[in-house]
Amino acid sequence: MNEYPAAREAPDLVPARYADWREEGPATRVKLPDGRPAWLVTRYDDVRNVLRNATLSSDTSAPACPRFGSAVEVPPLNTTLIALDGPAHTRLRRMLGPEFSIASVARLTPVVDRIVEESLDRLTAGRHTADAPADLVEGFALPVASRLICHILGLTYEAHATFERSTHVLSAGTSTAQQKLDAGATIVGLVTELVAQRLREPTDADLTGRLTGRYVATGELTEQEAVHNLTLLLGAGHHTSANMTSLSALSFMLHPSLARRFRDEPEVRPNLVEELLRHHTIVQLGLSRVAGTDIALGDTVIREGEGIVLSLQGANGDPRHFTGPGTLDPDRAEARYHLAFGFGPHTCIGQNVARVTIRSALSGLVQRLPGMRLAVPLEQLSFNDALDFHGLRRLPVHW
Ligand code: HEM
């Protein structure tokens, strides 16, 4: 049987197997790392259609739910909104959704721009030499994303090393179960303290304050539910944007004409950000679901109760939907229809925050470091291959 996930031939290329799977049929039987079977769906239209099926379950504790050792399979994240279905999911989404509306994110934009400027000030003030180049991951992409999620939640930035390390352990396929439980407990500890503090001293100044004031204090949400879902936001809200920022910066160095257009043509920026999201599709293992009813895809029927992996990389590289999908095309008309943020009821709640962050970070880089170039050969870059999220471990640069 086909083994899933497939290995990348090169770190910056989507595994070539996806093209075969897309051609073989709408759904392919695959064997997961734990030896269990699942259906893999790789075509754009099928992935979208299945994700909008209202009977689909995201319950990662269900025996048939496909497992890769992802963060959302272990406590406490396996009890948060990302792993809940139906009304239980809608209830939490209703409480958190307004925090991520277009209007809320527009209010956040000047904060993002300030964080980017200050992070670039720190980066450029550092002492970098030919032998000791700057690392754009630790020195820029990660601090921007972490400072922003701290601002959103009301957490002090001093906690960043702790939650960055814990999130890394939680989302690494190579961590042991015990390491993941310990990392989960550490990050929950940080958020528990924050929630308790907001309950003692109510404030509307940050998301944690608003959530506790409006829902925990009124008994609509338990303190534990608040802690666990805020932990999800803390984890999902920094690694993701940071990975996209550093991968996009790498794309700019490999294709300098893209960086020039991003710098000189501000009107191209929104579409190019969408195209970068499509191209990199950092949720590299895809989304795990269990069929709540029989689902017919062409001649194939996925039976109720069977596990399904919806491949976002397969969908975003589908030539039926994206012409010449391997090319990073800033003018691609259909770029914004990518599925990098998922689709359907669980579509990424933080996607507008992510867009603003990536756009602001890349704008800052191309304007302030127009001569930025790779400090090591491409083959020497190290990627987070065993993680839920595709990304770079380090990105050594000169400017
Ligand atoms: C480039 C950045 C990002 C990417 C590619 C991304 C991708 C995704 C994807 C694919 C999902 C769907 C999961 C599913 O259907 O099972 C998702 C859900 C989610 N994301 Fe993101 N994300 C990003 C940034 C963020 C940020 C910045 C935050 C928070 C500030 C965030 C918070 C969440 C949460 C809470 C969910 C669960 C939503 C639900 O289940 O209703 N994400 N994300």
Side-chain angles (χ1 to χ4, degrees):
M1 204 190 288
N2 293 290
E3 307 254 334
Y4 189 85
R8 291 171 184 257
E9 287 75 20
D12 52 343
L13 293 178
V14 169
R17 278 299 277 136
Y18 285 116
D20 305 333
W21 284 326
R22 268 193 309 262
E23 290 322 306
E24 276 166 29
T28 310
R29 215 62 184 138
V30 291
K31 189 167 118 190
L32 301 175
D34 62 6
R36 292 183 313 157
W39 288 104
L40 174 70
V41 180
T42 48
R43 293 181 186 168
Y44 181 91
D45 286 341
D46 295 332
V47 170
R48 251 171 76 114
N49 285 336
V50 173
L51 281 174
R52 75 152 72 93
N53 183 313
T55 69
L56 218 56
S57 172
S58 289
D59 178 2
T60 54
S61 66
C65 192
R67 298 213 171 86
F68 309 106
S70 296
V72 290
E73 294 161 20
V74 289
L77 301 184
N78 63 349
T79 56
T80 61
L81 94 150
I82 202 161
L84 293 173
D85 300 326
H89 171 255
T90 313
R91 163 180 172 260
L92 291 166
R93 190 88 191 193
R94 186 177 46 79
M95 294 178 189
L96 291 168
E99 297 287 343
F100 296 96
S101 66
I102 298 202
S104 302
V105 176
R107 282 194 293 278
L108 208 57
T109 305
V111 179
V112 181
D113 290 341
R114 177 177 50 75
I115 290 175
V116 165
E117 283 306 313
E118 289 171 0
S119 301
L120 280 166
D121 290 344
R122 277 190 211 93
L123 178 73
T124 51
R127 280 170 53 85
H128 308 297
T129 62
D131 294 336
D135 174 11
L136 214 66
V137 174
E138 287 283 333
F140 179 66
L142 206 45
V144 166
S146 291
R147 281 178 195 277
L148 180 61
I149 198 67
C150 285
H151 171 88
I152 292 173
L153 298 182
L155 194 64
T156 59
Y157 182 63
E158 281 63 48
H160 78 102
T162 307
F163 69 73
E164 286 165 5
R165 210 175 26 250
S166 302
T167 307
H168 183 90
V169 172
L170 273 169
S171 58
T174 47
S175 307
T176 63
Q178 191 56 48
Q179 284 170 330
K180 288 190 177 204
L181 287 174
D182 293 346
T186 304
I187 193 167
V188 162
L190 285 178
V191 180
T192 302
E193 228 172 87
L194 175 67
V195 167
Q197 208 279 335
R198 291 295 180 278
L199 283 169
R200 281 195 305 274
E201 292 169 44
T203 172
D204 255 358
D206 54 51
L207 192 158
T208 307
R210 290 186 290 272
L211 193 73
T212 48
R214 286 176 202 166
Y215 300 110
V216 181
T218 57
E220 281 180 76
L221 188 69
T222 68
E223 199 168 334
Q224 196 185 49
E225 283 178 311
V227 167
H228 290 175
N229 284 285
L230 291 166
T231 301
L232 170 70
L233 284 174
L234 177 57
H238 72 283
H239 260 246
T240 45
S241 301
N243 284 330
M244 262 310 297
T245 299
S246 48
L247 286 168
S248 303
L250 173 62
S251 294
F252 280 3
M253 289 185 279
L254 298 178
H255 308 283
S257 65
L258 292 181
R260 273 195 301 276
R261 287 199 63 190
F262 204 84
R263 188 190 62 206
D264 299 340
E265 299 173 43
E267 65 284 2
V268 106
R269 290 178 191 164
N271 202 59
L272 185 43
V273 168
E274 300 305 324
E275 175 66 348
L276 287 160
L277 284 159
R278 181 196 71 82
H279 182 79
H280 291 294
T281 311
I282 59 167
V283 178
Q284 57 180 352
L285 303 180
L287 306 178
S288 294
R289 298 288 194 268
V290 177
T293 181
D294 287 359
I295 299 174
L297 293 176
D299 292 340
T300 309
V301 179
I302 298 175
R303 297 284 170 204
E304 177 182 344
E306 289 185 322
I308 317 175
V309 178
L310 286 314
S311 169
L312 305 181
Q313 284 189 331
N316 282 345
D318 187 350
R320 292 170 190 77
H321 195 79
F322 299 101
T323 314
T327 308
L328 242 173
D329 176 2
D331 303 312
R332 183 184 294 287
E334 70 281 19
R336 68 196 164 97
Y337 299 112
H338 66 75
L339 301 181
F341 291 121
F343 192 73
H346 288 273
T347 184
C348 179
I349 205 169
Q351 58 187 275
N352 293 323
V353 174
R355 287 188 170 100
V356 166
T357 310
I358 300 161
R359 190 159 73 216
S360 176
L362 294 178
S363 303
L365 280 178
V366 294
Q367 280 161 13
R368 295 216 11 214
L369 307 178
M372 192 172 72
R373 60 198 187 283
L374 265 181
V376 296
L378 183 59
E379 317 74 74
Q380 282 179 23
L381 290 177
S382 72
F383 288 79
N384 286 332
D385 218 25
L387 289 181
D388 289 0
F389 308 112
H390 186 49
L392 283 150
R393 284 204 193 119
R394 279 175 295 284
L395 183 55
V397 295
H398 293 306
W399 54 81

